[in-house]
Amino acid sequence: MRLSRTSYEGAFLPGATGIVHLGIGAFARAHQAVFTEEAMAATGDDRWGICGATMRGPGVVEQLGPQNGLYSVRAGGDLRVVGAVTEVLRPGDDLLTDRLAAPGTQVVTVTITEKGYRAGPAVDRLVAGLRARAAADAGPITVLSCDNLPSNGARLATLVRAAAEPRLLGWIGEQVRFPCTMVDRIVPASTPADLAEAAARLGLEDRGAVVAEPFLQWVIEDDFAAGRPAWEKAGALLVARAGPYEVMKLRLLNGSHSALAYLSAREHVAQALGELREALVRLMDEVTPTLGELDGVDLGAYKASLLERFANPELRHRTAQIAADGSQKLPQRLLDPARELLAAGREPRWIALVVAGWMAHVSTAAAVDDPLAGRLRATGDAARVAGRLLAVREVFGEDLPEHAGFRELVTEALERIMAEGAAATVRAYLAEP
């Protein structure tokens, strides 16, 4: 028997839908939906059920539709059934425009991944919904990006405004806010073993089961156009500026994840950490001078906590999942701090090593999961491969390919990886002063 509202009675069920979520994947279900459900439970304000819309395919609809939106989240030894999702829409479903235009909808949350900010469908659907909302005079609304991008809210606002006609632009300026956020929870793709464990513990089949680490964090700029759940009651941090927290997470956590994916052949993060722990310490120390002011954050403790989180063997976080879409991830995770270090007269040596690991991956892997995969295949010696990939301006911009010091660091690292392998190269780097 499938998990559903008739087969399971322990979930919190909202009384109304107040949020539309674009990109209702595993991360959103283990992060924003958990915060939202806990906020409703803490306050008794049950107006914030989530209408989720999938942007990629029907998989989530097939998982959650027959389950009335219910699914389980396992974090450590704890397993809970989440009931915050009231509806899941297929890609292209016209109901999405209606939900975005409904007066009861006051927040739109977004997780469309980095590449979603270069492709148009999700933004086009959002703009269509805002257009219908303006026509219906349905009131103000907040659009909350929850993707791993610096200045994510401002970036999404720019895309929305670029796709809107002049008349709609005026309404957006008056009625819509785009706060920035920082989100943090490691949520690997669920495996058949994870689904089997959820079924065994629930006594019900749960095809939407999600596994996550116990840690979760959400930093949100307190700039809302309309109502919102009391997320702070669930542990979210409401701040004036989320930017410094975004940068910290992108460069320390996500940058380290990229290093684990490209410098180790191990299948899972916890295994890769066994080989690369000291290398990650060096990488994080190199990046730290590029971080801004962070009120209330002990960076030393934060970096130590990351290593503890990566070491969790229960997560089975696949390095191949992290390695996907590297052309979209590297710029904000590693290339932006490289620019800042170079401008300050510092050598981004460990960053260059990870970039070289990415180059080796995309130029030799049997299959590369990346929107630019067709342009990333390169052959020849290290200088030729590095030169060709540095010329991909969508990744490296105009400046880094012309920086002789950066080019030399990357080419040297790639040459050593191609000759000796990534593991031996990392050991050699660690042995150097």
Side-chain angles (χ1 to χ4, degrees):
M1 183 182 295
R2 290 282 288 273
L3 175 67
S4 70
R5 294 185 183 181
T6 57
S7 65
Y8 185 88
E9 298 181 352
F12 179 93
L13 299 178
T17 298
I19 299 172
V20 171
H21 185 90
L22 306 184
I24 188 74
F27 179 81
R29 303 203 305 274
H31 189 274
Q32 291 92 16
V34 170
F35 271 100
T36 299
E37 181 169 280
E38 291 186 355
M40 288 190 288
T43 61
D45 184 357
D46 67 352
R47 298 172 296 155
W48 303 106
I50 300 167
C51 169
T54 176
M55 299 287 106
R56 295 184 175 181
V60 179
V61 180
E62 293 165 358
Q63 292 168 2
L64 299 188
Q67 299 179 183
N68 307 117
L70 299 183
Y71 59 92
S72 63
V73 177
R74 176 166 60 85
D78 177 64
L79 184 141
R80 63 184 290 179
V81 173
V82 177
V85 177
T86 57
E87 181 180 30
V88 184
L89 304 180
R90 294 178 180 272
D93 193 323
D94 291 339
L95 282 175
L96 177 58
T97 298
D98 295 339
R99 300 296 182 264
L100 289 166
T105 300
Q106 298 186 59
V107 178
V108 182
T109 49
V110 178
T111 51
I112 53 177
T113 75
E114 291 90 341
K115 62 185 173 185
Y117 291 72
R118 296 198 179 190
V123 173
D124 291 343
R125 298 301 307 278
L126 175 57
V127 171
L130 294 177
R131 185 180 297 115
R133 189 176 186 88
D137 194 22
I141 193 167
T142 302
V143 180
L144 203 61
S145 172
C146 301
D147 283 297
N148 282 320
L149 293 165
S151 303
N152 52 10
R155 205 159 181 171
L156 183 55
T158 297
L159 292 175
V160 167
R161 290 175 181 131
E165 64 274 17
R167 185 174 180 178
L168 180 58
L169 275 175
W171 182 86
I172 289 172
E174 294 176 356
Q175 300 289 317
V176 186
R177 295 290 181 273
F178 297 86
C180 295
T181 71
M182 184 272 269
V183 297
D184 192 0
R185 191 174 209 183
I186 297 172
V187 185
S190 296
T191 66
D194 296 326
L195 301 185
E197 179 169 345
R201 294 180 62 173
L202 290 169
L204 298 164
E205 183 184 15
D206 178 10
R207 297 185 188 175
V210 178
V211 177
E213 65 172 334
F215 179 92
L216 73 168
Q217 186 178 30
W218 198 4
V219 180
I220 310 168
E221 288 183 350
D222 194 1
D223 180 22
F224 287 80
R228 62 167 178 83
W231 283 311
E232 66 274 20
K233 299 292 186 182
L237 181 63
L238 277 292
V239 300
R241 291 181 59 249
Y245 300 89
E246 295 174 54
V247 170
M248 176 189 72
K249 191 253 182 173
L250 282 164
R251 297 183 181 185
L252 295 180
L253 187 153
N254 298 118
S256 295
H257 260 169
S258 292
L260 292 167
Y262 300 128
L263 297 178
S264 171
R266 298 286 188 165
E267 183 180 3
H268 296 120
V269 164
Q271 298 168 330
L273 181 67
E275 299 176 346
L276 296 173
R277 177 182 289 268
E278 183 57 32
L280 293 194
V281 171
R282 302 281 187 94
L283 175 65
M284 288 192 282
D285 286 347
E286 181 176 274
V287 167
T288 295
T290 71
L291 306 179
E293 293 295 325
L294 292 154
D295 291 339
V297 176
D298 180 335
L299 279 175
Y302 179 76
K303 290 188 283 188
S305 75
L306 293 181
L307 297 175
E308 292 179 11
R309 292 164 64 190
F310 297 158
N312 184 351
E314 294 184 4
L315 282 179
R316 296 191 292 274
H317 196 180
R318 296 177 63 243
T319 53
Q321 180 185 356
I322 297 167
D325 303 330
S327 69
Q328 316 294 296
K329 296 173 178 176
L330 287 185
Q332 59 267 8
R333 296 183 179 191
L334 294 170
L335 302 182
D336 284 345
R339 288 184 174 91
E340 294 174 27
L341 290 169
L342 290 167
R346 297 171 179 259
E347 268 196 351
R349 187 166 180 76
W350 287 94
I351 291 175
L353 177 60
V354 181
V355 171
W358 170 77
M359 289 181 170
H361 168 73
V362 298
S363 62
T364 61
V368 175
D369 184 357
D370 194 289
L372 300 183
R375 298 174 55 195
L376 300 178
R377 184 70 65 179
T379 58
D381 62 15
R384 179 179 175 82
V385 172
R388 176 166 176 179
L389 292 175
L390 284 168
V392 180
R393 293 303 195 254
E394 295 95 324
V395 180
F396 293 99
E398 300 290 337
D399 55 336
L400 287 177
E402 302 302 322
H403 195 290
F406 184 74
R407 178 185 289 268
E408 182 179 337
L409 287 170
V410 171
T411 303
E412 176 195 353
L414 182 58
E415 188 174 61
R416 295 173 77 163
I417 289 173
M418 293 173 70
E420 306 167 18
T425 301
V426 169
R427 289 194 296 270
Y429 271 54
L430 288 172
E432 295 172 359

